Amino acid sequence: MLNSIVLKAAGIAAAITLTTVTAASATQAPAPHVTEGAAAVVTLRYDDSRAGGWEAAIAAGVASWNSNVDNVKLVEAAPGARAEIQIVATNGWPQATLGPVRPGGQVRVELGSQAVTQGHDKTRIAAHEIGHSLGLPDTKPGPCSQLMSGSSAGTSCRNSVPNATEQSRVESFYANGLASRTPADGRILVKSCMESSRSVAFKFPCHPYPDLLV
């Protein structure tokens, strides 16, 4: 009889212990689950504090890229903060360092007034040069529907929106939250045959105001 009581008590105690452990396990929050394939957004800062006269065009160009790519977001850097994309205004031809720039890296965009004097649209110029920073080379000559056709589309072209192919290429460069292509250190894409001829011998056909590697 005594043994029966002891065994019954032990069984009850074990049941209580098991219930307590189960309850404790149930109250623990599960580890966060990251959905495979979810797009990680890369934030890149730009500084246009030295691009006087181009502010509206830059804002419109930035808005165009932010509206058309999903995994890259361009934001204006806070005063004094380091920016990945340095944008300056010059009296020459537009030019830019070829990216894709990585977070913490740095590229330079020069928005030159000579192209504006020739009649090219400022917003298209800004969006085009930012496209270089994001890793896109030129597609010249090309139609107005291609942002990276640049000046070869003519002065009547006002398109500042990357097409589906250009959008897809930029998103592939920044897939999984990182630029997947090594930046082209020190290479500058220059807008003018005349400007480029001072420092390089042409290796490619020279269209009016093309971007050339120097």
Side-chain angles (χ1 to χ4, degrees):
M1 183 68 175
L2 180 59
N3 288 341
S4 176
I5 294 173
V6 170
L7 288 174
K8 183 180 291 186
I12 293 171
I16 292 173
T17 301
L18 179 61
T19 301
T20 303
V21 170
T22 302
S25 299
T27 58
Q28 292 179 356
H33 176 69
V34 178
T35 303
E36 291 185 7
V41 177
V42 174
T43 298
L44 299 173
R45 295 162 296 179
Y46 68 91
D47 177 5
D48 64 355
S49 60
R50 292 182 292 162
W54 287 84
E55 294 88 350
I58 293 168
V62 165
S64 177
W65 279 109
N66 283 343
S67 297
N68 288 284
V69 294
D70 294 329
N71 59 353
V72 182
K73 181 176 177 61
L74 303 174
V75 299
E76 187 172 3
R82 191 177 189 279
E84 284 81 12
I85 304 174
Q86 292 283 338
I87 307 176
V88 300
T90 74
N91 294 324
W93 291 100
Q95 63 182 38
T97 312
L98 179 63
V101 62
R102 297 174 183 268
Q106 194 165 80
V107 293
R108 179 181 172 92
V109 167
E110 296 186 6
L111 301 177
S113 62
Q114 288 188 29
V116 179
T117 301
Q118 290 290 326
H120 294 285
D121 182 67
K122 293 179 76 171
T123 299
R124 179 172 169 83
I125 293 170
H128 175 93
E129 298 304 331
I130 291 171
H132 288 319
S133 298
L134 299 177
L136 295 179
D138 286 296
T139 54
K140 295 183 176 181
C144 184
S145 59
Q146 294 177 358
L147 176 60
M148 302 314 293
S149 69
S151 57
S152 71
T155 56
S156 63
C157 180
R158 298 290 186 266
N159 175 44
S160 61
V161 178
N163 66 18
T165 299
E166 293 164 333
Q167 296 169 28
S168 177
R169 290 191 68 187
V170 168
E171 289 181 343
S172 71
F173 295 155
Y174 292 91
N176 302 316
L178 292 173
S180 58
R181 187 176 132 207
T182 303
D185 295 333
R187 292 196 291 171
I188 307 297
L189 295 178
V190 182
K191 281 299 205 213
S192 169
C193 297
M194 179 174 60
E195 187 80 7
S196 300
S197 63
R198 300 175 194 161
S199 56
V200 300
F202 294 121
K203 297 181 180 179
F204 309 101
C206 187
H207 306 289
Y209 313 127
D211 291 338
L212 295 174
L213 292 177
V214 297

